[in-house]
Amino acid sequence: MAAVIVALLLFFFCARSPSLSTVVSRDHDPTAARRLPDIIIIGVRKGGTRALLEMLNLHSDVVAAQSEVHFFDWDSHYLRGVDWYVSQMPLARPGQLTVEKTPAYFTSARVPERIRRMNPDTRLLLIVREPTERLLSDYTQVFHNRLEKHKQQQMLETLLMHDGELNLDYKALNRSLYHLHMRRWLDVFPRSHIHLVDGDALIRNPLPEMKKVEEFLHLEPQINASNFYFNQTKGFFCLRDRRRERCLHGSKGRQHPRIAPEILRKLYDFFHEPNQEFFQLVGRTFDWN
Ligand code: A3P
């Protein structure tokens, strides 16, 4: 009788939880473990960091932390220690590389040294985008955040201009001064540890940029043209792997505000010199006006 009851219970349990066995077996993969990241996408905010993370995650030898961890830039997280940081990482099988992305790292003064102390061999990815376009994207992000929180909106012109001059204290403008932030990273890490991804090129045609990333990380070449398809409605490339096709979230690839041509000109002129300094620092150029 007892055997019949146990058999019935097992039958109902299994019938009601068809996915349980797969979840259990994956969680119990004895070779998988959470580890410190081998790769960190350090920024830049609105450079295309999510696209880069998702595209890298197409590779079977890479596993990605899905949310931004903010370990090195938020003291409240940093003080929790390395064990807490590891607990935020995904399970990785031996041979797989773990990647996390927190775009705020790039502009946060304490972060380079903290990462070096954790592991001086960490491989760093920085995705940059034409600075004026990045600034507009940054403003648009804040605009939408404020909208969601029912906060009063601020006009871009008001934030950007003071007495007819560009406001250098505007955070979105400062974040586009890549040379200032890059200098701090190069004080701590050799140039060879930081791979630069061209965010504008990644938007236009992701594959060549991703091949360069694979090469930098010494990954077996795997990402290929079939991993990408252009979605006319979204106006961006979307991703395809064996399991599914997907585009990035609607918050990626938003319309930017229109801006008066004279302010736009001022911005392009303003960024010209800092861009040259950045090119000098990193030993390469980008196709920015
Ligand atoms: P916009 O929304 O201003 O166009 P981040 O992930 O660092 O916040 O960067 C967001 C930016 O990634 C977007 O800025 C978008 O231009 C860019 N991006 C790059 N490749 C993309 C893709 N395949 N789909 C959507 N957005 C992409």
Side-chain angles (χ1 to χ4, degrees):
M1 183 62 183
V4 173
I5 292 171
V6 170
L8 276 172
L9 279 173
L10 268 175
F11 173 78
F12 281 118
F13 186 68
C14 293
R16 286 167 66 90
S17 315
S19 60
L20 196 67
S21 60
T22 41
V23 172
V24 168
S25 65
R26 232 184 294 138
D27 272 352
H28 281 80
D29 180 342
T31 62
R34 295 179 207 284
R35 290 195 293 267
L36 283 173
D38 308 278
I39 312 159
I40 302 182
I41 299 175
I42 58 174
V44 53
R45 175 181 153 99
K46 306 318 292 175
T49 55
R50 174 60 59 181
L52 177 59
L53 184 86
E54 296 289 331
M55 289 173 186
L56 192 49
N57 206 20
L58 290 166
H59 199 290
S60 64
D61 292 342
V62 175
V63 282
Q66 279 310 308
S67 45
E68 294 178 6
V69 186
H70 286 280
F71 179 62
F72 299 102
D73 60 326
W74 290 358
D75 284 344
S76 59
H77 283 178
Y78 194 64
L79 291 171
R80 292 183 188 180
V82 150
D83 288 348
W84 178 84
Y85 188 39
V86 170
S87 76
Q88 304 304 301
M89 295 301 138
L91 288 167
R93 291 193 305 275
Q96 281 188 313
L97 299 177
T98 299
V99 56
E100 80 117 326
K101 78 123 179 155
T102 302
Y105 289 164
F106 181 56
T107 52
S108 176
R110 281 171 302 207
V111 172
E113 180 53 31
R114 284 180 171 181
I115 295 183
R116 194 197 60 80
R117 244 182 283 149
M118 175 196 73
N119 177 7
D121 293 327
T122 309
R123 281 164 275 180
L124 306 171
L125 299 178
L126 172 66
I127 178 163
V128 286
R129 197 169 164 195
E130 193 284 313
T132 299
E133 197 64 25
R134 198 218 64 81
L135 183 158
L136 295 176
S137 177
D138 199 327
Y139 170 81
T140 308
Q141 165 88 57
V142 175
F143 180 93
H144 282 272
N145 290 349
R146 294 180 75 92
L147 204 64
E148 274 172 27
K149 292 178 189 156
H150 308 288
K151 285 189 176 172
Q152 203 183 349
Q153 287 303 347
Q154 297 161 296
M155 295 285 293
L156 175 59
E157 275 81 356
T158 317
L159 294 164
L160 202 52
M161 305 299 292
H162 266 183
D163 302 328
E165 292 303 320
L166 287 173
N167 171 19
L168 303 187
D169 293 329
Y170 178 36
K171 278 189 186 158
L173 184 138
N174 177 278
R175 286 188 200 106
S176 281
L177 293 172
Y178 303 145
H179 69 297
L180 295 181
H181 309 291
M182 191 67 189
R183 216 171 264 144
R184 279 198 317 266
W185 286 87
L186 292 175
D187 284 345
V188 174
F189 283 97
R191 174 70 182 84
S192 57
H193 281 215
I194 310 175
H195 177 71
L196 264 63
V197 179
D198 182 334
D200 302 296
L202 190 89
I203 292 175
R204 286 193 301 271
N205 185 9
L207 185 58
E209 284 304 307
M210 293 313 297
K211 299 309 288 175
K212 289 179 218 163
V213 173
E214 276 184 338
E215 204 179 312
F216 171 73
L217 297 172
H218 303 296
L219 287 165
E220 172 200 315
Q222 208 183 75
I223 301 173
N224 61 70
S226 75
N227 288 127
F228 305 105
Y229 66 97
F230 192 77
N231 182 304
Q232 292 291 347
T233 318
K234 185 156 176 79
F236 283 86
F237 276 92
C238 298
L239 282 63
R240 181 192 292 121
D241 62 15
R242 267 169 297 144
R243 285 167 296 162
R244 61 196 174 114
E245 293 188 343
R246 62 195 187 279
C247 297
L248 262 58
H249 186 262
S251 62
K252 307 293 175 186
R254 286 172 172 141
Q255 285 278 326
H256 294 172
R258 278 183 190 282
I259 174 167
E262 60 275 16
I263 298 184
L264 207 55
R265 191 69 265 154
K266 259 190 199 297
L267 282 169
Y268 286 135
D269 289 348
F270 171 74
F271 282 122
H272 182 76
E273 267 307 307
N275 288 348
Q276 300 306 312
E277 286 194 47
F278 180 66
F279 299 163
Q280 281 256 313
L281 267 181
V282 298
R284 64 171 281 193
T285 59
F286 288 83
D287 192 14
W288 302 336
N289 290 324

